[in-house]
């Protein structure tokens, strides 16, 4: 018999070894059996999304990302659509991705859920 527990059920719960995220944060999951135990740390991050639309083809992509992801992470997740050229991010063949104020996005920049991005 294995007994499961979470030290922070406001972040993650565990039942029969299945961990369920509840809110952003960190929790330690403990499994105990036969007088022995082991732990693992679980980090729950916020999932965000936004839509990119190409100005020439009208191609759209709903981009999902986690808090803390960079544009390089998006290239790995969407390799057929989001590309890096000379350290900057591009959307397919439709142009470069810009911040709302007109600055081009460096590939290493963290994605900001409060920012508006345009493909130009």
């Amino acid at each position: 018999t294995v007994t499961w527990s979470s030290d922070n059920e406001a972040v993650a719960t565990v039942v029969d070894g299945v961990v369920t995220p509840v809110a952003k944060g960190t929790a330690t999951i403990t499994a105990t059996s036969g007088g022995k135990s082991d732990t693992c740390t679980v980090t729950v991050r916020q999932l965000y999304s936004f839509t990119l639309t190409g100005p020439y083809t009208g191609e759209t992509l709903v981009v999902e990302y986690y808090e803390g992801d960079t544009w390089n992470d998006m290239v790995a997740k969407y390799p057929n659509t989001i590309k890096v050229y000379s350290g900057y991010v591009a959307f397919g063949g439709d142009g470069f991705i810009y911040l709302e104020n007109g600055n081009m996005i460096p590939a290493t920049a963290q994605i900001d859920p409060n920012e508006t991005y345009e493909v130009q």
Side-chain angles (χ1 to χ4, degrees):
T1 302
V2 178
T3 303
W4 296 91
S5 65
S6 169
D7 75 337
N8 191 350
E9 291 193 346
V11 171
T13 61
V14 59
V15 175
D16 296 329
V18 177
V19 178
T20 302
V22 177
K24 288 184 352 179
T26 303
T28 299
I29 305 300
T30 304
T32 305
S33 180
K36 296 183 181 183
S37 65
D38 202 0
T39 63
C40 71
T41 301
V42 174
T43 300
V44 178
R45 299 187 300 164
Q46 178 69 44
L47 179 66
Y48 296 99
S49 69
F50 61 88
T51 302
L52 291 173
T53 303
Y56 306 113
T57 66
E59 178 184 4
T60 62
L61 174 67
V62 177
V63 177
E64 289 189 336
Y65 65 98
Y66 288 97
E67 179 180 24
D69 280 356
T70 67
W71 286 92
N72 280 337
D73 297 324
M74 293 300 95
V75 171
K77 189 170 183 179
Y78 300 98
N80 296 324
T81 310
I82 298 177
K83 305 284 185 186
V84 170
Y85 299 102
S86 301
Y88 290 94
V89 178
F91 175 60
D94 249 356
F96 285 96
I97 299 172
Y98 290 83
L99 287 168
E100 185 176 27
N101 62 8
N103 294 325
M104 201 180 318
I105 304 278
T108 55
Q110 184 172 325
I111 301 168
D112 184 348
N114 300 312
E115 188 64 66
T116 299
Y117 300 101
E118 293 180 44
V119 181
Q120 298 180 353

